[in-house]
Amino acid sequence: MKRLWAGFPLCFRLGVRWRFPQSGVIMIGTDKLPIEETLEDSPQTRSLLGVFEEDAAAISSYSTQLFHAMRRIYEAQNELSAATHLTSKLLKGYEKQRFPLGGDDEVMTSTLQQFSKVIDELSSCHAVLSTQLADAMMFPINQFKERDLKEILTLKEVFQIASNDHDMAINRYSRLSKKRENEKTKFEITEDVYTARKKQHQTMMHYFCALNTIQYKKKIAILEPLLGYMQAQINFFKMGSENLNEQLEEFLMNIGTSVQNVRREMDSDLENMHQTIQDMEAASEPLYLPDPDPKKLPVNRNLTRKAGYLNIRNKTGLVSSSWERQYFFTQGGNLMSQARGDVAGGLVMDIDNCSVMAVDCEDRRYCFQITSFDGKKSVILQAESRKDSDEWVTTINNISKRIYLTDNPEEMAARVNQSAMEAITPSPSFQQRHESMRPSGPSRPRASRTNSTGSIGSDSSVLTALSLDSIVAPDTPIQFDIISPVSEDQSGQPRTPGQTRRRTNPFGESGEKSESEDSILHQLFIVRFLGSMEVKSDESPEVVYETMRQILAARAIHNIFRMTESHLLVTCDCLK
């Protein structure tokens, strides 16, 4: 035994000449699963994960076949020739395998083709030392099969369980009752979401790491046993055999160097992935909570693109509806949605010139409504947190102004929002009455509307909808409420002698009984006052649409949800 192993550095010396590639480098590049995108868990990431899982299954299938072939060599010396021929046949069939991530198939196939020729020539050698084959051939591939491939299967099962638990926790969290809110139940469900999301994120990162690593181990597990087999054959045949040439020795040395290079690259990449996992775990800790603290994670109001999971309300009947969780993202001026497992997203609605505002929606929190420009289509969506809801509202509002078409959308959005904050001045009735009761003195100038043409109109022609000075009266704020007759009577304001208690009707009616009460059409509706602003002309429908959009945008920016309820009387003669 010592004599056979002693002279391994010398090479084959058979009477057959083989041609091998001079370079033994077999790895050009390996695609990787993005560990940084595991927390977002988008449908694109899930689709890419499916490709890697399919590749792992193909690796498992091929490795199992190769393992059985090599085991036949080890177990039956009298069938060595047949077993070696089967191994050669499998190596030749590598080019027919369809590995989804086979980026280096040409070099790998060429290398394995050369191996298959060598093994086919050596199939006439019947006696192989069992100990050498067990140590150099069976051990590496058996470790790959029993340890590495089973680890992939175990991580896949753990990840599937964690993903299902996360979906169930999110579903329970989304169904939290707003009217019957139980703090204990809310705390338990929030903790469940935190635990499930953390478990899914951590399991997914380790699963991605294992799938990335298997791409390296696949090559090592295929080439290292073959290299060991050839070494056993070399030592089995006497050293210094004249039938082996130096070209084969050089080829085997190149392959051994390549395997070591792949191993070093794998170790380096594995270390980087482990470091990335640690960094991501530390940075993602606040994001595990479904409703993070807004002080730690403030709302970004300058976004022109956003993506994430939302619940959409679908009508199932005249008065019934259901909620469905989907992945939504903006694409230019369109709102898209994509269900998990879908290859691509579908159009939900065009959000150019749309209106968006937060709404009070039944038994759900953090809801907002998007209405198309013509008012024919609207959707109600539910976000996971107040921060997420506010960012969706501001993002869609920025997109509706076509800011995304400018050269620097985020900078333009910041300027537009700053202009809106300066121009829009909510004026509560209580504050107005308080100011009117103060002694007369130098009056403070009211917040005037910034000339949008001077601030943003020069940057892009697509923002012509923001140049409001041509239709909106300057130096006028937006009024969000109306003083009711009761509150006006109780305001405590002094009246001059002869002043009546009847208020001035803001819509211009005299308040006197008219003949319209005897009209054939006499119907009363309950309406809610959203806001008003002064315009120069109301003859064009564009003025009405732009005014409505500005008022809804202002309510969204200031998070104003209060609405004054009034009665609208419709007759044949007038509206009151």
Side-chain angles (χ1 to χ4, degrees), residues 383-417:
E384 197 172 274
S385 62
R386 170 63 62 190
K387 171 183 177 299
D388 201 26
S389 174
D390 291 345
E391 286 188 350
W392 272 105
V393 169
T394 55
T395 301
I396 295 175
N397 186 42
N398 292 336
I399 294 176
S400 71
K401 301 173 183 177
R402 299 184 179 180
I403 297 177
Y404 64 92
L405 296 176
T406 59
D407 295 334
N408 193 340
E410 291 190 1
E411 180 181 351
M412 182 61 64
R415 294 174 59 185
V416 171
N417 287 327

PDB file of all heavy atoms in Angstrom, residues 383-417:
ATOM      1  N   ALA A 383     -52.897  50.001   3.967  1.00  0.00           N
ATOM      2  CA  ALA A 383     -51.464  49.842   4.217  1.00  0.00           C
ATOM      3  C   ALA A 383     -51.254  49.143   5.552  1.00  0.00           C
ATOM      4  O   ALA A 383     -52.187  48.954   6.343  1.00  0.00           O
ATOM      5  CB  ALA A 383     -50.765  51.201   4.193  1.00  0.00           C
ATOM      6  N   GLU A 384     -50.025  48.795   5.797  1.00  0.00           N
ATOM      7  CA  GLU A 384     -49.695  48.052   7.015  1.00  0.00           C
ATOM      8  C   GLU A 384     -49.497  48.978   8.200  1.00  0.00           C
ATOM      9  O   GLU A 384     -49.676  48.562   9.338  1.00  0.00           O
ATOM     10  CB  GLU A 384     -48.419  47.240   6.766  1.00  0.00           C
ATOM     11  CG  GLU A 384     -48.182  46.137   7.749  1.00  0.00           C
ATOM     12  CD  GLU A 384     -47.028  45.241   7.356  1.00  0.00           C
ATOM     13  OE1 GLU A 384     -47.251  44.296   6.589  1.00  0.00           O
ATOM     14  OE2 GLU A 384     -45.905  45.520   7.814  1.00  0.00           O
ATOM     15  N   SER A 385     -49.127  50.217   7.951  1.00  0.00           N
ATOM     16  CA  SER A 385     -48.841  51.146   9.042  1.00  0.00           C
ATOM     17  C   SER A 385     -49.247  52.550   8.616  1.00  0.00           C
ATOM     18  O   SER A 385     -49.508  52.820   7.439  1.00  0.00           O
ATOM     19  CB  SER A 385     -47.349  51.112   9.406  1.00  0.00           C
ATOM     20  OG  SER A 385     -46.560  51.523   8.302  1.00  0.00           O
ATOM     21  N   ARG A 386     -49.265  53.453   9.601  1.00  0.00           N
ATOM     22  CA  ARG A 386     -49.566  54.854   9.296  1.00  0.00           C
ATOM     23  C   ARG A 386     -48.483  55.445   8.414  1.00  0.00           C
ATOM     24  O   ARG A 386     -48.772  56.188   7.475  1.00  0.00           O
ATOM     25  CB  ARG A 386     -49.670  55.644  10.615  1.00  0.00           C
ATOM     26  CG  ARG A 386     -49.746  57.158  10.442  1.00  0.00           C
ATOM     27  CD  ARG A 386     -50.990  57.568   9.674  1.00  0.00           C
ATOM     28  NE  ARG A 386     -52.181  57.188  10.398  1.00  0.00           N
ATOM     29  CZ  ARG A 386     -53.399  57.243   9.884  1.00  0.00           C
ATOM     30  NH1 ARG A 386     -53.569  57.630   8.616  1.00  0.00           N
ATOM     31  NH2 ARG A 386     -54.450  56.871  10.584  1.00  0.00           N
ATOM     32  N   LYS A 387     -47.214  55.116   8.684  1.00  0.00           N
ATOM     33  CA  LYS A 387     -46.111  55.631   7.868  1.00  0.00           C
ATOM     34  C   LYS A 387     -46.252  55.155   6.426  1.00  0.00           C
ATOM     35  O   LYS A 387     -46.106  55.945   5.486  1.00  0.00           O
ATOM     36  CB  LYS A 387     -44.782  55.164   8.456  1.00  0.00           C
ATOM     37  CG  LYS A 387     -43.567  55.444   7.580  1.00  0.00           C
ATOM     38  CD  LYS A 387     -42.306  54.882   8.194  1.00  0.00           C
ATOM     39  CE  LYS A 387     -41.104  55.091   7.285  1.00  0.00           C
ATOM     40  NZ  LYS A 387     -41.223  54.428   5.990  1.00  0.00           N
ATOM     41  N   ASP A 388     -46.542  53.876   6.246  1.00  0.00           N
ATOM     42  CA  ASP A 388     -46.688  53.324   4.901  1.00  0.00           C
ATOM     43  C   ASP A 388     -47.854  53.968   4.170  1.00  0.00           C
ATOM     44  O   ASP A 388     -47.773  54.279   2.983  1.00  0.00           O
ATOM     45  CB  ASP A 388     -46.869  51.812   4.981  1.00  0.00           C
ATOM     46  CG  ASP A 388     -46.516  51.122   3.674  1.00  0.00           C
ATOM     47  OD1 ASP A 388     -45.708  51.688   2.907  1.00  0.00           O
ATOM     48  OD2 ASP A 388     -47.046  50.034   3.413  1.00  0.00           O
ATOM     49  N   SER A 389     -48.954  54.180   4.893  1.00  0.00           N
ATOM     50  CA  SER A 389     -50.124  54.813   4.276  1.00  0.00           C
ATOM     51  C   SER A 389     -49.816  56.247   3.837  1.00  0.00           C
ATOM     52  O   SER A 389     -50.159  56.652   2.721  1.00  0.00           O
ATOM     53  CB  SER A 389     -51.298  54.790   5.257  1.00  0.00           C
ATOM     54  OG  SER A 389     -52.402  55.506   4.744  1.00  0.00           O
ATOM     55  N   ASP A 390     -49.154  57.009   4.704  1.00  0.00           N
ATOM     56  CA  ASP A 390     -48.812  58.393   4.351  1.00  0.00           C
ATOM     57  C   ASP A 390     -47.858  58.447   3.161  1.00  0.00           C
ATOM     58  O   ASP A 390     -47.988  59.307   2.280  1.00  0.00           O
ATOM     59  CB  ASP A 390     -48.183  59.098   5.554  1.00  0.00           C
ATOM     60  CG  ASP A 390     -49.183  59.323   6.670  1.00  0.00           C
ATOM     61  OD1 ASP A 390     -50.395  59.197   6.404  1.00  0.00           O
ATOM     62  OD2 ASP A 390     -48.764  59.613   7.808  1.00  0.00           O
ATOM     63  N   GLU A 391     -46.899  57.529   3.111  1.00  0.00           N
ATOM     64  CA  GLU A 391     -45.953  57.534   1.989  1.00  0.00           C
ATOM     65  C   GLU A 391     -46.641  57.154   0.679  1.00  0.00           C
ATOM     66  O   GLU A 391     -46.316  57.709  -0.372  1.00  0.00           O
ATOM     67  CB  GLU A 391     -44.796  56.581   2.288  1.00  0.00           C
ATOM     68  CG  GLU A 391     -43.818  57.117   3.313  1.00  0.00           C
ATOM     69  CD  GLU A 391     -42.591  56.243   3.449  1.00  0.00           C
ATOM     70  OE1 GLU A 391     -42.604  55.112   2.880  1.00  0.00           O
ATOM     71  OE2 GLU A 391     -41.616  56.668   4.107  1.00  0.00           O
ATOM     72  N   TRP A 392     -47.575  56.213   0.736  1.00  0.00           N
ATOM     73  CA  TRP A 392     -48.316  55.871  -0.492  1.00  0.00           C
ATOM     74  C   TRP A 392     -49.142  57.072  -0.971  1.00  0.00           C
ATOM     75  O   TRP A 392     -49.186  57.362  -2.173  1.00  0.00           O
ATOM     76  CB  TRP A 392     -49.224  54.673  -0.234  1.00  0.00           C
ATOM     77  CG  TRP A 392     -48.573  53.338  -0.457  1.00  0.00           C
ATOM     78  CD1 TRP A 392     -48.148  52.462   0.480  1.00  0.00           C
ATOM     79  CD2 TRP A 392     -48.268  52.736  -1.728  1.00  0.00           C
ATOM     80  NE1 TRP A 392     -47.594  51.353  -0.107  1.00  0.00           N
ATOM     81  CE2 TRP A 392     -47.651  51.492  -1.459  1.00  0.00           C
ATOM     82  CE3 TRP A 392     -48.442  53.122  -3.041  1.00  0.00           C
ATOM     83  CZ2 TRP A 392     -47.218  50.641  -2.470  1.00  0.00           C
ATOM     84  CZ3 TRP A 392     -48.016  52.271  -4.054  1.00  0.00           C
ATOM     85  CH2 TRP A 392     -47.407  51.052  -3.773  1.00  0.00           C
ATOM     86  N   VAL A 393     -49.797  57.750  -0.034  1.00  0.00           N
ATOM     87  CA  VAL A 393     -50.637  58.901  -0.411  1.00  0.00           C
ATOM     88  C   VAL A 393     -49.779  59.990  -1.042  1.00  0.00           C
ATOM     89  O   VAL A 393     -50.103  60.533  -2.111  1.00  0.00           O
ATOM     90  CB  VAL A 393     -51.399  59.428   0.817  1.00  0.00           C
ATOM     91  CG1 VAL A 393     -52.056  60.763   0.491  1.00  0.00           C
ATOM     92  CG2 VAL A 393     -52.453  58.431   1.255  1.00  0.00           C
ATOM     93  N   THR A 394     -48.656  60.335  -0.416  1.00  0.00           N
ATOM     94  CA  THR A 394     -47.810  61.400  -0.959  1.00  0.00           C
ATOM     95  C   THR A 394     -47.138  60.977  -2.263  1.00  0.00           C
ATOM     96  O   THR A 394     -46.978  61.794  -3.173  1.00  0.00           O
ATOM     97  CB  THR A 394     -46.735  61.782   0.070  1.00  0.00           C
ATOM     98  OG1 THR A 394     -46.006  60.603   0.460  1.00  0.00           O
ATOM     99  CG2 THR A 394     -47.358  62.402   1.290  1.00  0.00           C
ATOM    100  N   THR A 395     -46.757  59.713  -2.370  1.00  0.00           N
ATOM    101  CA  THR A 395     -46.124  59.248  -3.611  1.00  0.00           C
ATOM    102  C   THR A 395     -47.097  59.331  -4.773  1.00  0.00           C
ATOM    103  O   THR A 395     -46.757  59.826  -5.859  1.00  0.00           O
ATOM    104  CB  THR A 395     -45.624  57.795  -3.447  1.00  0.00           C
ATOM    105  OG1 THR A 395     -44.685  57.742  -2.373  1.00  0.00           O
ATOM    106  CG2 THR A 395     -44.963  57.321  -4.729  1.00  0.00           C
ATOM    107  N   ILE A 396     -48.316  58.830  -4.574  1.00  0.00           N
ATOM    108  CA  ILE A 396     -49.308  58.874  -5.651  1.00  0.00           C
ATOM    109  C   ILE A 396     -49.681  60.314  -5.974  1.00  0.00           C
ATOM    110  O   ILE A 396     -49.899  60.672  -7.140  1.00  0.00           O
ATOM    111  CB  ILE A 396     -50.543  58.041  -5.252  1.00  0.00           C
ATOM    112  CG1 ILE A 396     -50.154  56.566  -5.130  1.00  0.00           C
ATOM    113  CG2 ILE A 396     -51.674  58.213  -6.261  1.00  0.00           C
ATOM    114  CD1 ILE A 396     -51.266  55.681  -4.626  1.00  0.00           C
ATOM    115  N   ASN A 397     -49.717  61.166  -4.957  1.00  0.00           N
ATOM    116  CA  ASN A 397     -49.999  62.576  -5.207  1.00  0.00           C
ATOM    117  C   ASN A 397     -48.894  63.212  -6.042  1.00  0.00           C
ATOM    118  O   ASN A 397     -49.161  64.010  -6.954  1.00  0.00           O
ATOM    119  CB  ASN A 397     -50.154  63.305  -3.874  1.00  0.00           C
ATOM    120  CG  ASN A 397     -50.586  64.750  -4.060  1.00  0.00           C
ATOM    121  OD1 ASN A 397     -51.441  65.050  -4.877  1.00  0.00           O
ATOM    122  ND2 ASN A 397     -49.971  65.642  -3.317  1.00  0.00           N
ATOM    123  N   ASN A 398     -47.631  62.847  -5.769  1.00  0.00           N
ATOM    124  CA  ASN A 398     -46.517  63.359  -6.577  1.00  0.00           C
ATOM    125  C   ASN A 398     -46.588  62.845  -8.011  1.00  0.00           C
ATOM    126  O   ASN A 398     -46.309  63.573  -8.961  1.00  0.00           O
ATOM    127  CB  ASN A 398     -45.186  62.956  -5.942  1.00  0.00           C
ATOM    128  CG  ASN A 398     -44.937  63.662  -4.623  1.00  0.00           C
ATOM    129  OD1 ASN A 398     -45.489  64.735  -4.370  1.00  0.00           O
ATOM    130  ND2 ASN A 398     -44.126  63.057  -3.770  1.00  0.00           N
ATOM    131  N   ILE A 399     -46.957  61.572  -8.156  1.00  0.00           N
ATOM    132  CA  ILE A 399     -47.060  60.995  -9.506  1.00  0.00           C
ATOM    133  C   ILE A 399     -48.203  61.641 -10.272  1.00  0.00           C
ATOM    134  O   ILE A 399     -48.112  61.870 -11.484  1.00  0.00           O
ATOM    135  CB  ILE A 399     -47.240  59.467  -9.424  1.00  0.00           C
ATOM    136  CG1 ILE A 399     -45.984  58.822  -8.842  1.00  0.00           C
ATOM    137  CG2 ILE A 399     -47.548  58.870 -10.792  1.00  0.00           C
ATOM    138  CD1 ILE A 399     -46.112  57.333  -8.625  1.00  0.00           C
ATOM    139  N   SER A 400     -49.307  61.937  -9.580  1.00  0.00           N
ATOM    140  CA  SER A 400     -50.445  62.535 -10.265  1.00  0.00           C
ATOM    141  C   SER A 400     -50.088  63.895 -10.865  1.00  0.00           C
ATOM    142  O   SER A 400     -50.709  64.342 -11.830  1.00  0.00           O
ATOM    143  CB  SER A 400     -51.614  62.685  -9.291  1.00  0.00           C
ATOM    144  OG  SER A 400     -51.350  63.697  -8.332  1.00  0.00           O
ATOM    145  N   LYS A 401     -49.069  64.552 -10.307  1.00  0.00           N
ATOM    146  CA  LYS A 401     -48.601  65.839 -10.854  1.00  0.00           C
ATOM    147  C   LYS A 401     -47.554  65.646 -11.957  1.00  0.00           C
ATOM    148  O   LYS A 401     -46.981  66.610 -12.442  1.00  0.00           O
ATOM    149  CB  LYS A 401     -48.002  66.677  -9.732  1.00  0.00           C
ATOM    150  CG  LYS A 401     -48.968  66.971  -8.599  1.00  0.00           C
ATOM    151  CD  LYS A 401     -48.257  67.665  -7.441  1.00  0.00           C
ATOM    152  CE  LYS A 401     -49.202  67.903  -6.285  1.00  0.00           C
ATOM    153  NZ  LYS A 401     -48.528  68.507  -5.122  1.00  0.00           N
ATOM    154  N   ARG A 402     -47.273  64.385 -12.298  1.00  0.00           N
ATOM    155  CA  ARG A 402     -46.309  64.043 -13.359  1.00  0.00           C
ATOM    156  C   ARG A 402     -44.904  64.517 -13.032  1.00  0.00           C
ATOM    157  O   ARG A 402     -44.114  64.842 -13.924  1.00  0.00           O
ATOM    158  CB  ARG A 402     -46.764  64.621 -14.697  1.00  0.00           C
ATOM    159  CG  ARG A 402     -48.114  64.092 -15.150  1.00  0.00           C
ATOM    160  CD  ARG A 402     -48.480  64.600 -16.513  1.00  0.00           C
ATOM    161  NE  ARG A 402     -49.760  64.074 -16.957  1.00  0.00           N
ATOM    162  CZ  ARG A 402     -50.336  64.346 -18.122  1.00  0.00           C
ATOM    163  NH1 ARG A 402     -49.708  65.147 -18.975  1.00  0.00           N
ATOM    164  NH2 ARG A 402     -51.503  63.832 -18.439  1.00  0.00           N
ATOM    165  N   ILE A 403     -44.581  64.514 -11.764  1.00  0.00           N
ATOM    166  CA  ILE A 403     -43.236  64.901 -11.363  1.00  0.00           C
ATOM    167  C   ILE A 403     -42.221  63.862 -11.813  1.00  0.00           C
ATOM    168  O   ILE A 403     -41.049  64.169 -12.024  1.00  0.00           O
ATOM    169  CB  ILE A 403     -43.194  65.109  -9.840  1.00  0.00           C
ATOM    170  CG1 ILE A 403     -44.123  66.269  -9.455  1.00  0.00           C
ATOM    171  CG2 ILE A 403     -41.797  65.365  -9.329  1.00  0.00           C
ATOM    172  CD1 ILE A 403     -44.204  66.516  -7.964  1.00  0.00           C
ATOM    173  N   TYR A 404     -42.668  62.620 -11.975  1.00  0.00           N
ATOM    174  CA  TYR A 404     -41.733  61.554 -12.337  1.00  0.00           C
ATOM    175  C   TYR A 404     -41.126  61.762 -13.716  1.00  0.00           C
ATOM    176  O   TYR A 404     -40.146  61.087 -14.078  1.00  0.00           O
ATOM    177  CB  TYR A 404     -42.446  60.195 -12.276  1.00  0.00           C
ATOM    178  CG  TYR A 404     -43.568  60.031 -13.275  1.00  0.00           C
ATOM    179  CD1 TYR A 404     -43.334  59.470 -14.523  1.00  0.00           C
ATOM    180  CD2 TYR A 404     -44.869  60.434 -12.975  1.00  0.00           C
ATOM    181  CE1 TYR A 404     -44.352  59.323 -15.444  1.00  0.00           C
ATOM    182  CE2 TYR A 404     -45.897  60.288 -13.875  1.00  0.00           C
ATOM    183  CZ  TYR A 404     -45.636  59.722 -15.113  1.00  0.00           C
ATOM    184  OH  TYR A 404     -46.654  59.562 -16.022  1.00  0.00           O
ATOM    185  N   LEU A 405     -41.679  62.651 -14.517  1.00  0.00           N
ATOM    186  CA  LEU A 405     -41.156  62.891 -15.867  1.00  0.00           C
ATOM    187  C   LEU A 405     -40.017  63.909 -15.878  1.00  0.00           C
ATOM    188  O   LEU A 405     -39.416  64.133 -16.928  1.00  0.00           O
ATOM    189  CB  LEU A 405     -42.281  63.375 -16.788  1.00  0.00           C
ATOM    190  CG  LEU A 405     -43.424  62.375 -17.049  1.00  0.00           C
ATOM    191  CD1 LEU A 405     -44.509  63.017 -17.891  1.00  0.00           C
ATOM    192  CD2 LEU A 405     -42.887  61.121 -17.728  1.00  0.00           C
ATOM    193  N   THR A 406     -39.737  64.529 -14.749  1.00  0.00           N
ATOM    194  CA  THR A 406     -38.684  65.540 -14.711  1.00  0.00           C
ATOM    195  C   THR A 406     -37.316  64.874 -14.625  1.00  0.00           C
ATOM    196  O   THR A 406     -37.190  63.668 -14.405  1.00  0.00           O
ATOM    197  CB  THR A 406     -38.894  66.481 -13.516  1.00  0.00           C
ATOM    198  OG1 THR A 406     -38.869  65.694 -12.313  1.00  0.00           O
ATOM    199  CG2 THR A 406     -40.224  67.199 -13.622  1.00  0.00           C
ATOM    200  N   ASP A 407     -36.274  65.696 -14.763  1.00  0.00           N
ATOM    201  CA  ASP A 407     -34.911  65.158 -14.723  1.00  0.00           C
ATOM    202  C   ASP A 407     -34.534  64.677 -13.330  1.00  0.00           C
ATOM    203  O   ASP A 407     -33.850  63.671 -13.179  1.00  0.00           O
ATOM    204  CB  ASP A 407     -33.916  66.234 -15.196  1.00  0.00           C
ATOM    205  CG  ASP A 407     -34.122  66.606 -16.657  1.00  0.00           C
ATOM    206  OD1 ASP A 407     -34.644  65.741 -17.405  1.00  0.00           O
ATOM    207  OD2 ASP A 407     -33.788  67.730 -17.035  1.00  0.00           O
ATOM    208  N   ASN A 408     -34.961  65.397 -12.304  1.00  0.00           N
ATOM    209  CA  ASN A 408     -34.659  65.022 -10.928  1.00  0.00           C
ATOM    210  C   ASN A 408     -35.976  64.960 -10.150  1.00  0.00           C
ATOM    211  O   ASN A 408     -36.371  65.930  -9.504  1.00  0.00           O
ATOM    212  CB  ASN A 408     -33.696  66.033 -10.299  1.00  0.00           C
ATOM    213  CG  ASN A 408     -33.099  65.536  -9.004  1.00  0.00           C
ATOM    214  OD1 ASN A 408     -33.641  64.625  -8.370  1.00  0.00           O
ATOM    215  ND2 ASN A 408     -31.993  66.130  -8.608  1.00  0.00           N
ATOM    216  N   PRO A 409     -36.676  63.803 -10.195  1.00  0.00           N
ATOM    217  CA  PRO A 409     -38.020  63.745  -9.592  1.00  0.00           C
ATOM    218  C   PRO A 409     -38.034  64.018  -8.096  1.00  0.00           C
ATOM    219  O   PRO A 409     -38.927  64.714  -7.604  1.00  0.00           O
ATOM    220  CB  PRO A 409     -38.470  62.313  -9.910  1.00  0.00           C
ATOM    221  CG  PRO A 409     -37.619  61.875 -11.048  1.00  0.00           C
ATOM    222  CD  PRO A 409     -36.311  62.559 -10.863  1.00  0.00           C
ATOM    223  N   GLU A 410     -37.070  63.471  -7.347  1.00  0.00           N
ATOM    224  CA  GLU A 410     -37.110  63.642  -5.899  1.00  0.00           C
ATOM    225  C   GLU A 410     -36.909  65.105  -5.497  1.00  0.00           C
ATOM    226  O   GLU A 410     -37.585  65.612  -4.610  1.00  0.00           O
ATOM    227  CB  GLU A 410     -36.041  62.759  -5.248  1.00  0.00           C
ATOM    228  CG  GLU A 410     -36.337  61.274  -5.352  1.00  0.00           C
ATOM    229  CD  GLU A 410     -35.405  60.451  -4.495  1.00  0.00           C
ATOM    230  OE1 GLU A 410     -34.557  61.072  -3.811  1.00  0.00           O
ATOM    231  OE2 GLU A 410     -35.523  59.220  -4.506  1.00  0.00           O
ATOM    232  N   GLU A 411     -35.980  65.774  -6.174  1.00  0.00           N
ATOM    233  CA  GLU A 411     -35.771  67.192  -5.877  1.00  0.00           C
ATOM    234  C   GLU A 411     -37.008  68.012  -6.239  1.00  0.00           C
ATOM    235  O   GLU A 411     -37.412  68.908  -5.499  1.00  0.00           O
ATOM    236  CB  GLU A 411     -34.546  67.694  -6.634  1.00  0.00           C
ATOM    237  CG  GLU A 411     -34.243  69.171  -6.379  1.00  0.00           C
ATOM    238  CD  GLU A 411     -33.039  69.652  -7.174  1.00  0.00           C
ATOM    239  OE1 GLU A 411     -32.351  68.798  -7.791  1.00  0.00           O
ATOM    240  OE2 GLU A 411     -32.795  70.863  -7.190  1.00  0.00           O
ATOM    241  N   MET A 412     -37.613  67.672  -7.384  1.00  0.00           N
ATOM    242  CA  MET A 412     -38.820  68.396  -7.786  1.00  0.00           C
ATOM    243  C   MET A 412     -39.958  68.143  -6.804  1.00  0.00           C
ATOM    244  O   MET A 412     -40.714  69.060  -6.448  1.00  0.00           O
ATOM    245  CB  MET A 412     -39.225  67.966  -9.201  1.00  0.00           C
ATOM    246  CG  MET A 412     -40.455  68.694  -9.731  1.00  0.00           C
ATOM    247  SD  MET A 412     -40.215  70.466  -9.842  1.00  0.00           S
ATOM    248  CE  MET A 412     -38.923  70.521 -11.062  1.00  0.00           C
ATOM    249  N   ALA A 413     -40.101  66.904  -6.329  1.00  0.00           N
ATOM    250  CA  ALA A 413     -41.154  66.587  -5.366  1.00  0.00           C
ATOM    251  C   ALA A 413     -40.954  67.355  -4.071  1.00  0.00           C
ATOM    252  O   ALA A 413     -41.916  67.832  -3.461  1.00  0.00           O
ATOM    253  CB  ALA A 413     -41.178  65.084  -5.103  1.00  0.00           C
ATOM    254  N   ALA A 414     -39.697  67.476  -3.637  1.00  0.00           N
ATOM    255  CA  ALA A 414     -39.421  68.236  -2.418  1.00  0.00           C
ATOM    256  C   ALA A 414     -39.819  69.701  -2.590  1.00  0.00           C
ATOM    257  O   ALA A 414     -40.406  70.310  -1.685  1.00  0.00           O
ATOM    258  CB  ALA A 414     -37.939  68.110  -2.062  1.00  0.00           C
ATOM    259  N   ARG A 415     -39.534  70.261  -3.758  1.00  0.00           N
ATOM    260  CA  ARG A 415     -39.886  71.672  -4.001  1.00  0.00           C
ATOM    261  C   ARG A 415     -41.392  71.855  -4.074  1.00  0.00           C
ATOM    262  O   ARG A 415     -41.949  72.828  -3.546  1.00  0.00           O
ATOM    263  CB  ARG A 415     -39.223  72.134  -5.288  1.00  0.00           C
ATOM    264  CG  ARG A 415     -37.699  72.178  -5.201  1.00  0.00           C
ATOM    265  CD  ARG A 415     -37.071  72.499  -6.546  1.00  0.00           C
ATOM    266  NE  ARG A 415     -37.537  73.778  -7.063  1.00  0.00           N
ATOM    267  CZ  ARG A 415     -37.220  74.262  -8.260  1.00  0.00           C
ATOM    268  NH1 ARG A 415     -36.412  73.551  -9.035  1.00  0.00           N
ATOM    269  NH2 ARG A 415     -37.673  75.423  -8.648  1.00  0.00           N
ATOM    270  N   VAL A 416     -42.078  70.893  -4.732  1.00  0.00           N
ATOM    271  CA  VAL A 416     -43.539  71.000  -4.850  1.00  0.00           C
ATOM    272  C   VAL A 416     -44.190  70.887  -3.482  1.00  0.00           C
ATOM    273  O   VAL A 416     -45.101  71.642  -3.138  1.00  0.00           O
ATOM    274  CB  VAL A 416     -44.065  69.916  -5.812  1.00  0.00           C
ATOM    275  CG1 VAL A 416     -45.585  69.872  -5.783  1.00  0.00           C
ATOM    276  CG2 VAL A 416     -43.589  70.213  -7.222  1.00  0.00           C
ATOM    277  N   ASN A 417     -43.738  69.919  -2.663  1.00  0.00           N
ATOM    278  CA  ASN A 417     -44.329  69.747  -1.344  1.00  0.00           C
ATOM    279  C   ASN A 417     -44.044  70.949  -0.450  1.00  0.00           C
ATOM    280  O   ASN A 417     -44.895  71.362   0.341  1.00  0.00           O
ATOM    281  CB  ASN A 417     -43.788  68.466  -0.699  1.00  0.00           C
ATOM    282  CG  ASN A 417     -44.367  67.221  -1.339  1.00  0.00           C
ATOM    283  OD1 ASN A 417     -45.512  67.222  -1.773  1.00  0.00           O
ATOM    284  ND2 ASN A 417     -43.582  66.166  -1.408  1.00  0.00           N
TER     285      ASN A 417
END
